[in-house]
Amino acid sequence: MLRGLLSVLFMLLFGGSLFAAEKPNFLWIMSEDNSSHFLKMFDPTGAPAPNIEALAEQGLVYEHAFSNAPVCSVARTTLITSCYAPRIGTFHHRKSFMVPMPEGLKMFPAYLQEVGYYTTNNSKEDYNAKKSADVWNDSSRKATWRNRKPGQPFFHVQTFTTTHESSLHFPAKDIEDKPTNTDPETVFIPPHHPKTKTFKYTYARYHDRIQDVDKQIGQLVDQLKQDGLLESTFIFYFGDHGGVLPRGKGYAYETGLHIPLVVRVPEKFRDQVPEKIGSRIQSFVSFVDFGPTVLNLAGAKIPDGIDGHAFLALGDQQLMETDESFGYADRFDEKYDVVRTIRKGKYRYVRNFQPFNFDGLMNNYRYKMVAYREWRELYDAGKLNEVQAQFFETRPAEMLFDVEADPYETKNLADDPQHAKALAELRGRLNTILSGMPDLGFYPESYLAANAADNPVAFGQQHKGEIAKLLEVANLEVLSFDEARPQLEEALGSSDPWQRYWGVIACTSHGKSALALSKQLEAIATNDSENLVRVRAAEFLALHSGVNPVAVLKKSIADAETATEANLILNTVVLLQDGQPGYEFNFKRSDFKHLQGNRGELDRRLEYLIGK
């Protein structure tokens, strides 16, 4: 009897056959950079994907699945932590500094290891938070479930790069020299894109990539079948964020956030899953929910302190359902922005906290794509219609879209009285989320690096009231200027530099209406004690009063201490240099030699402004 007990204990501790009898395996298959719009099973204009479709026939299709961020590192960090990135300080892509996991939390695969799972990742990580040693048994290009102990359950992640943005960084001559399998004349071009030969070819080429990755997925599933594991393994197929065509990846619209998600349910566990196999699920799920879902199915404890919830279970467990998803977009390589969004039911509400930073602002990696460059050239030549031109123009502070009627979000309903109730509801809901976390994105990145990097969550909680006040100041953008003026004047005169900072940004958002405060703003541009506040005041005066900003911004670079601070300043420089009338700054590389810290994104900007 003792020998039998020891055998059971050994299997529990070291992954013997008892695991296979009790616990499901998990295979996550991620394709990079494709939104649900590119798959025919989600959108009639998408590409056929027979292998993914076969998974769906034996599983569940999630109609409303969302990445919380539209770019790799922020999305993947949200996925692995089950936490909203603006709460834990992981919301900039690419990271200028690493942050620890929230106190008491690990990346979720570590909890699978605690209950006996073999965890592997092949191979992209791209995390903005520090990973503990017990997250992966193997994370490499050689990682596979085949190296586990006999009978040990596994969790394996496979990322296919076939559909990555770089697959569309082809030379223009390819349009003539390298025909696509997909006929360019048959692809759908969304209304925000020009229907040119370049765009048709680019869409067709991406449809080919979708079909290529579908074949790879089929081969991986075949490996699982050959190993006799198909009917004991939950297979999750999904995109790591939205699609790579212009205004997709990097932008907090449906095309950047709405992902395909299919979960194949293995035969062994189908009678334990309440949902009908082959059904299309309408409840909303987000990346913060994926980790707790796997933990729930594995029978592991879901830790406190995360932001997600399980959306799939074995048995009759009551699960939370929602019709809501929260998203965020901040620095994307060298290009800064602050966008928060909520999708609820048929509506998407987008809050542009710096609306003058138009979507098409220069970003080196984006503009490697021929289609991006052509789009901007057509705008400069005045050859785009109003919908196509919006990408290169100032955005409203608030946008509201009915995505059922307007799937590519071209008609802003924020000023439509018929949708005033929905606008007010979603504005209020978003503000509740941002103040509740609280959202660290209301501080400049360089300030967070210096003051919050050791424990962003604790910093946020300690400054929760201060952040709520910054949000209140930023939200003066959505009032009329006359309504907002008394509070703007108060913010501009505040002893808190970040209230002044957001007060100036709110003035810039109000445009020429705020020229009534120009004397106060001129004084700030010259005399404010905080370098970045002076930059924002110079930005306002250049955009709306024609005051030359060159001297102020050159001095601000000289006064900057870190490359991260300087990169934010250069965002303003690019905005003003590339705008109308356009200012010449004539920086030299020697102007930036004194800066400390990670220079990666700064060097990207300098490559554009100065050259290599």
Side-chain angles (χ1 to χ4, degrees):
M1 183 176 175
L2 179 60
R3 182 179 296 176
L5 288 172
L6 288 173
S7 296
V8 171
L9 180 61
F10 179 87
M11 286 189 289
L12 287 170
L13 289 174
F14 299 107
S17 61
L18 184 66
F19 281 130
E22 292 188 345
K23 293 183 183 297
N25 305 308
F26 301 95
L27 171 60
W28 277 10
I29 306 173
M30 269 189 276
S31 55
E32 290 205 87
D33 299 0
N34 63 287
S35 62
S36 60
H37 306 77
F38 289 104
L39 288 170
K40 192 172 185 177
M41 62 180 296
F42 287 92
D43 188 307
T45 68
N51 289 296
I52 299 171
E53 290 162 12
L55 297 177
E57 289 172 3
Q58 299 174 325
L60 308 169
V61 176
Y62 287 81
E63 297 272 20
H64 300 107
F66 298 91
S67 173
N68 296 99
V71 66
C72 304
S73 69
V74 187
R76 287 172 175 270
T77 305
T78 300
L79 189 66
I80 201 73
T81 64
S82 310
C83 295
Y84 290 137
R87 179 174 72 85
I88 68 170
T90 57
F91 53 97
H92 288 300
H93 174 87
R94 301 199 167 274
K95 55 188 174 285
S96 61
F97 57 94
M98 290 284 276
V99 303
M101 285 290 293
E103 224 168 291
L105 270 186
K106 296 180 179 181
M107 294 177 179
F108 82 85
Y111 300 111
L112 290 172
Q113 286 198 24
E114 289 177 4
V115 294
Y117 275 79
Y118 183 70
T119 64
T120 50
N121 177 60
N122 188 335
S123 66
K124 185 171 183 176
E125 292 185 353
D126 208 7
Y127 308 142
N128 293 340
K130 296 174 183 176
K131 177 186 67 171
S132 57
D134 55 354
V135 175
W136 300 116
N137 292 108
D138 186 9
S139 181
S140 71
R141 292 184 179 180
K142 295 182 178 180
T144 171
W145 62 78
R146 289 174 169 170
N147 294 330
R148 72 198 193 285
K149 295 181 177 70
Q152 184 178 10
F154 67 84
F155 171 67
H156 179 73
V157 179
Q158 183 77 39
T159 296
F160 289 116
T161 62
T162 308
T163 52
H164 186 264
E165 178 178 10
S166 56
S167 69
L168 296 183
H169 290 172
F170 53 81
K173 64 185 179 64
D174 278 11
I175 298 172
E176 301 296 338
D177 296 348
K178 293 187 177 181
T180 54
N181 295 325
T182 302
D183 183 352
E185 294 303 319
T186 66
V187 295
F188 172 74
I189 307 297
H192 58 285
H193 286 160
K195 292 178 175 61
T196 65
K197 187 173 184 178
T198 297
F199 270 85
K200 290 177 181 179
Y201 177 86
T202 305
Y203 269 92
R205 187 152 168 160
Y206 201 65
H207 279 223
D208 287 356
R209 297 291 81 74
I210 293 290
Q211 292 169 79
D212 289 343
V213 82
D214 182 70
K215 292 173 185 173
Q216 292 176 293
I217 290 168
Q219 292 165 2
L220 184 65
V221 173
D222 283 346
Q223 289 179 29
L224 204 64
K225 190 173 183 179
Q226 291 164 14
D227 291 354
L229 296 167
L230 181 63
E231 298 307 342
S232 60
T233 303
F234 281 86
I235 301 175
F236 288 59
Y237 161 71
F238 54 98
D240 67 345
H241 48 71
V244 71
L245 272 291
R247 192 180 170 262
K249 180 179 179 179
Y251 300 97
Y253 300 105
E254 286 287 299
T255 46
L257 297 170
H258 197 159
I259 60 163
L261 171 62
V262 173
V263 179
R264 185 190 186 276
V265 180
E267 182 70 37
K268 186 173 182 180
F269 295 96
R270 280 182 197 166
D271 61 347
Q272 299 178 55
V273 172
E275 291 83 356
K276 182 181 177 182
I277 298 303
S279 60
R280 301 181 80 92
I281 308 300
Q282 299 304 311
S283 181
F284 284 35
V285 300
S286 301
F287 270 7
V288 288
D289 304 322
F290 283 39
T293 296
V294 170
L295 294 177
N296 193 49
L297 290 168
K301 184 179 183 296
I302 298 174
D304 295 329
I306 63 172
D307 295 311
H309 64 272
F311 59 80
L312 193 59
L314 299 178
D316 297 326
Q317 183 181 350
Q318 287 294 112
L319 298 178
M320 174 182 167
E321 291 192 8
T322 183
D323 67 344
E324 172 180 299
S325 177
F326 168 59
Y328 31 84
D330 294 87
R331 181 172 56 73
F332 185 16
D333 296 334
E334 74 276 21
K335 173 185 173 289
Y336 276 94
D337 210 343
V338 183
V339 180
R340 300 292 180 264
T341 180
I342 186 168
R343 168 76 194 272
K344 186 171 178 61
K346 69 176 185 176
Y347 288 109
R348 176 168 294 284
Y349 173 75
V350 181
R351 181 69 174 86
N352 297 307
F353 283 96
Q354 297 177 14
F356 44 87
N357 276 334
F358 59 92
D359 285 333
L361 191 71
M362 183 62 190
N363 180 298
N364 292 13
Y365 197 71
R366 303 290 78 68
Y367 282 95
K368 286 186 177 183
M369 193 184 298
V370 177
Y372 258 106
R373 297 198 300 272
E374 181 187 80
W375 198 11
R376 184 167 62 182
E377 289 162 4
L378 291 171
Y379 175 77
D380 291 341
K383 294 182 179 179
L384 300 178
N385 64 35
E386 185 178 350
V387 169
Q388 296 162 352
Q390 180 55 56
F391 189 72
F392 302 97
E393 296 176 349
T394 296
R395 304 160 296 181
E398 291 184 300
M399 300 191 295
L400 180 70
F401 303 104
D402 176 348
V403 296
E404 291 180 3
D406 178 24
Y408 290 95
E409 296 157 299
T410 63
K411 185 179 181 182
N412 182 15
L413 304 173
D415 293 329
D416 186 337
Q418 293 185 5
H419 298 276
K421 182 179 178 182
L423 178 72
E425 178 188 346
L426 292 175
R427 178 195 292 161
R429 177 63 183 138
L430 184 65
N431 286 334
T432 298
I433 293 171
L434 301 186
S435 58
M437 285 192 287
D439 191 320
L440 296 175
F442 291 96
Y443 293 107
E445 183 180 13
S446 55
Y447 180 79
L448 289 175
N451 296 278
D454 291 342
N455 193 333
V457 174
F459 178 88
Q461 292 302 315
Q462 291 161 10
H463 295 81
K464 195 169 185 178
E466 186 176 295
I467 293 170
K469 181 61 180 178
L470 298 181
L471 173 60
E472 182 183 316
V473 174
N475 278 337
L476 297 176
E477 295 172 342
V478 305
L479 303 178
S480 71
F481 177 74
D482 288 341
E483 286 179 280
R485 181 170 179 169
Q487 291 165 275
L488 285 171
E489 290 176 337
E490 180 183 338
L492 295 178
S494 173
S495 60
D496 181 341
W498 307 122
Q499 286 189 39
R500 299 196 302 275
Y501 181 82
W502 279 103
V504 176
I505 290 172
C507 286
T508 307
S509 302
H510 276 289
K512 293 192 181 299
S513 300
L515 286 173
L517 301 178
S518 58
K519 286 187 178 180
Q520 203 170 351
L521 289 159
E522 286 169 4
I524 289 172
T526 306
N527 302 317
D528 199 276
S529 59
E530 170 53 52
N531 195 25
L532 291 177
V533 179
R534 295 196 299 274
V535 170
R536 291 300 190 179
E539 182 177 61
F540 169 86
L541 294 167
L543 287 171
H544 303 306
S545 192
V547 175
N548 192 308
V550 172
V552 173
L553 295 184
K554 283 202 161 189
K555 185 177 186 303
S556 73
I557 291 295
D559 291 344
E561 297 180 358
T562 67
T564 302
E565 181 183 357
N567 188 42
L568 179 56
I569 296 166
L570 290 186
N571 203 78
T572 293
V573 168
V574 171
L575 174 68
L576 299 178
Q577 174 182 283
D578 290 359
Q580 297 297 327
Y583 296 92
E584 293 185 11
F585 290 87
N586 298 316
F587 281 113
K588 302 185 294 294
R589 285 195 174 271
S590 58
D591 296 330
F592 300 88
K593 282 187 176 179
H594 66 289
L595 298 166
Q596 303 297 310
N598 187 324
R599 297 179 65 95
E601 305 313 323
L602 174 66
D603 286 341
R604 285 182 191 250
R605 271 293 186 226
L606 294 181
E607 183 181 328
Y608 174 64
L609 290 167
I610 300 174
K612 292 184 178 180

